[in-house]
Structures are given as C-alpha cells and as structure tokens.
C-alpha cells in the first residue's frame, strides 16, 4: 500500500477546526504547548482571539476548559494522548465528565507510532481509560474523511468526548460518499465475509483491509469492520459478526487489555459467545524506533492479523 495516499488524522483534526471555527463562533481551542504538533496552529492563525495557549500544563488546561464550556462555549482541548488521557485523568473524570461539560479532549500521537519519542510518549491505555468514564464518547478514526465526519458529529453533540488521532500518515480509505455513512456509535462494514470477522479501529483498519485481501488469496473470506467508535460501542455489529462468522479477530494500536479487544469480548461473552483473537499491544511498554519497525516488532501489522486469522 506504499502508493496509497496517506494523511495523518492529526492533520485532519487541525483542518477541521480551521473550517468549523468559521461556523461556530462559540468554539474555543486550547493547547498545551503543542500547536504545531497537533495542528491546532491552523485555528490559532485563523482565530487567535479564540485560541488559548496553556503551556505545558495539561491538568490546568482541562480544568480551565471545563469552566469555559460551562460559560456557554464548546471547547477543543489538545495534547499528546499520553498527557491528555494519562496525566489529566482525574480532571477529565471529575471536572469534565462528572459535570457534563461540553469539552472535546482531542489527543494526538497515540500508540506505538509515536515512534522515536519512545515509551514515555507511547500510550496504549488511553482508550481504556476514557471508555470507563460514564457519559464519555470515545472515537478513534481510521482516516482523513472519517475523522472529519466523526469530529463534526461529536462537536455538534453536547457533552464530553475523547478523540484519538495519529501522528503518522494513514491510508485514505473513505471517499466522500462512504464518509457520509460514518456515524458515531455505528460501525461500518468495509468488506464482506463469513469465514471470520476482523473488527479494527484507527490505524489498524487499513491493516485489516490489507490482511483480508491476502486471506482471500488463501480462500478465506474475512469481513472487515471499522469500529471507529469505542463508546458507545456498536453491539449489534459485534453480535452479527459473532453469529455469522463464528470467529472474530480484533485489531488495535492499543493494549489488548481494556481496549477494543476487551470491549468486543465483553459483548460476545454476554450475548453471543465465540472465539476471539486479539491483535494489539500485549501488556508491554514500547521503545524508541521507526513506526513501521515498531508495529512489526510489537505485532500490529497485516501479517499479524493474518496469523491470528489462520490460527482459527
């Protein structure tokens, strides 16, 4: 897929804010000294009067965001995922979610593909942390157009949300027509199949599609489901996959503990038990390295999905 167009979803996020800021005069964007990295600098240049630079102080930023939201604004608060979700967890829980503040915590640089920044900046826990908070919507888009579609929906819905975006470029999967089908809380089937279902999220959706193509050459027809919303989870799509395929492989650039794999297992164990294999970070920290090499070392590639599928 080397010749496929790639766009980092942090870029999608920045461009969305720049466009959406023209429509929403009550939109305030906040950043923790990372505007160039998380692409909020597009909004900063267009609407400096509605941009707040908080410095390296994520907890203060999110506490302030709650207050600004309760004064009648919608707030996008941005940092790297490790700091947005990890360092600031208690603030998100108590000041934002508990008070139902209209704050969208927008986290870039999630997962192993932070690359050379190393283990201290690679978070595999953020989706798990966010999905256990009552009332929190959690999205993890797979590409540029789906990211913009999901962003518009969460910003037009009152209440807290967590959005995860990539540092690295992701293959463009959706065209304009397909992107119109993207709905928060509703998974999308990108490829039909009945031998097994690959339920993937974020960066791993393109890997799942690549794996499905290779499996087809082996006579195995794999369904590919983009589970872009981790919460509210599309339980109907999961049960359908379990009933019709009998075997599910989950794929995520996140710990298999508490993330998509755990969420899918929770549903199937209660509503339609089936065998599940989980491709993702296997309860270990990462290390510094090139993103592609790290994905290979830590078992998050199309080949790892194929191996899991063939072990059925």
């Amino acid at each position: 897929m080397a010749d496929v167009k790639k766009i980092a979803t942090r870029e999608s996020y920045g461009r969305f804010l720049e466009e959406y800021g023209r429509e929403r005069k009550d939109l305030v964007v906040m950043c923790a000294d990372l505007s160039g990295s998380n692409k909020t600098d597009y909004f900063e240049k267009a609407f400096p009067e509605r941009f707040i630079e908080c410095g390296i102080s994520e907890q203060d930023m999110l506490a302030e965001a709650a207050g600004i939201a309760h004064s009648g604004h919608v707030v996008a608060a941005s940092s790297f995922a490790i700091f947005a979700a990890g360092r600031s967890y208690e603030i998100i829980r108590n000041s934002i979610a508990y008070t139902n503040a209209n704050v969208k915590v927008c986290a870039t640089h999630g997962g192993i593909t932070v690359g050379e920044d190393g283990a201290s900046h690679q978070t595999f826990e953020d989706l798990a942390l966010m999905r256990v908070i009552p009332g929190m919507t959690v999205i993890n888009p797979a590409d540029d157009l789906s990211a913009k579609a999901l962003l518009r929906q969460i910003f037009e819905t009152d209440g807290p949300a967590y959005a995860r975006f990539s540092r690295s470029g992701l293959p463009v999967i959706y065209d304009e027509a397909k992107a119109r089908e993207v709905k928060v809380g509703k998974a999308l089937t990108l490829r039909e199949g009945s031998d097994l279902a690959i339920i993937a999220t974020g960066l791993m959706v393109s890997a799942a599609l690549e794996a499905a193509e290779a499996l087809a050459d082996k006579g195995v027809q794999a369904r590919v489901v983009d589970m872009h919303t981790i919460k509210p989870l599309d339980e109907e799509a999961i049960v359908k996959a379990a009933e019709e395929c009998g075997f599910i492989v989950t794929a995520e650039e996140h710990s298999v503990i508490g993330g998509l794999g755990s969420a899918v297992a929770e549903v199937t164990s209660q509503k339609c038990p089936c065998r599940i294999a989980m491709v993702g970070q296997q309860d270990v920290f990462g290390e510094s390295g090139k993103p592609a090499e790290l994905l290979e070392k830590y078992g998050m590639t199309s080949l790892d999905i194929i191996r899991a599928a063939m072990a059925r």
Side-chain angles (χ1 to χ4, degrees):
M1 300 181 70
D3 57 342
V4 174
K5 182 179 180 181
K6 295 183 178 181
I7 301 174
T9 50
R10 60 176 173 145
E11 179 76 19
S12 312
Y13 169 57
R15 292 302 183 187
F16 167 81
L17 290 178
E18 182 182 24
E19 176 184 340
Y20 196 61
R22 298 186 178 93
E23 302 175 32
R24 290 287 298 265
K25 305 304 181 185
D26 60 343
L27 174 62
V28 173
V29 175
M30 307 179 74
C31 183
D33 199 39
L34 292 166
S35 61
S37 295
N38 58 38
K39 303 304 180 181
T40 53
D41 56 347
Y42 296 139
F43 186 93
E44 179 183 13
K45 292 170 185 174
F47 312 103
E49 72 283 0
R50 288 188 275 142
F51 180 84
I52 301 173
E53 175 55 73
C54 297
I56 306 173
S57 186
E58 289 84 4
Q59 293 163 316
D60 288 335
M61 175 182 70
L62 289 162
E64 292 170 21
I68 293 170
H70 283 302
S71 72
H73 295 80
V74 56
V75 182
S78 307
S79 187
F80 287 0
I82 187 65
F83 307 125
R87 180 177 292 169
S88 312
Y89 180 80
E90 184 268 331
I91 307 298
I92 294 173
R93 182 191 185 276
N94 288 338
S95 297
I96 294 175
Y98 183 58
T99 68
N100 196 39
N102 198 15
V103 176
K104 319 306 173 183
V105 181
C106 297
T108 64
H109 295 63
I112 198 79
T113 50
V114 173
E116 291 87 347
D117 287 356
S120 64
H121 283 54
Q122 297 161 346
T123 178
F124 311 110
E125 311 87 2
D126 56 320
L127 300 179
L129 287 169
M130 293 298 107
R131 80 179 186 92
V132 299
I133 298 178
M136 181 67 74
T137 295
V138 181
I139 64 168
N140 184 33
D143 83 339
D144 175 56
L145 289 178
S146 63
K148 291 172 181 174
L150 291 165
L151 277 164
R152 179 169 289 275
Q153 291 170 52
I154 65 170
F155 273 89
E156 293 181 354
T157 303
D158 287 342
Y162 180 81
R164 189 200 223 209
F165 304 112
S166 69
R167 177 187 188 180
S168 300
L170 303 186
V172 172
I173 296 169
Y174 288 86
D175 57 23
E176 294 284 352
K178 192 67 175 177
R180 286 193 285 271
E181 299 178 32
V182 175
K183 305 295 179 187
V184 170
K186 189 69 175 177
L188 268 175
T189 298
L190 301 181
R191 184 184 178 111
E192 295 292 348
S194 58
D195 292 327
L196 75 148
I198 305 170
I199 300 179
T201 189
L203 172 147
M204 294 302 291
V205 175
S206 60
L209 288 168
E210 187 175 346
E213 290 181 15
L215 287 166
D217 292 338
K218 301 175 185 292
V220 178
Q221 299 304 316
R223 178 179 306 179
V224 176
V225 178
D226 178 5
M227 192 64 72
H228 48 68
T229 306
I230 307 301
K231 186 181 180 182
L233 194 67
D234 189 345
E235 297 187 3
E236 183 180 346
I238 295 169
V239 171
K240 189 171 187 285
E243 290 177 342
E244 295 179 358
C245 302
F247 177 45
I248 294 173
V249 177
T250 61
E252 59 195 308
E253 189 194 6
H254 184 274
S255 173
V256 296
I257 301 171
L260 175 64
S262 291
V264 170
E266 289 163 13
V267 174
T268 57
S269 67
Q270 296 178 67
K271 299 188 175 182
C272 187
C274 75
R275 185 167 172 230
I276 298 176
M278 299 180 189
V279 173
Q281 194 77 3
Q282 302 291 327
D283 197 27
V284 293
F285 289 108
E287 61 185 284
S288 180
K290 299 293 184 183
E293 294 173 355
L294 293 171
L295 285 169
E296 182 178 355
K297 177 171 182 177
Y298 290 96
M300 289 172 279
T301 69
S302 60
L303 287 176
D304 295 294
I305 296 173
I306 292 167
R307 293 187 190 102
M310 296 304 291
R312 76 189 193 283

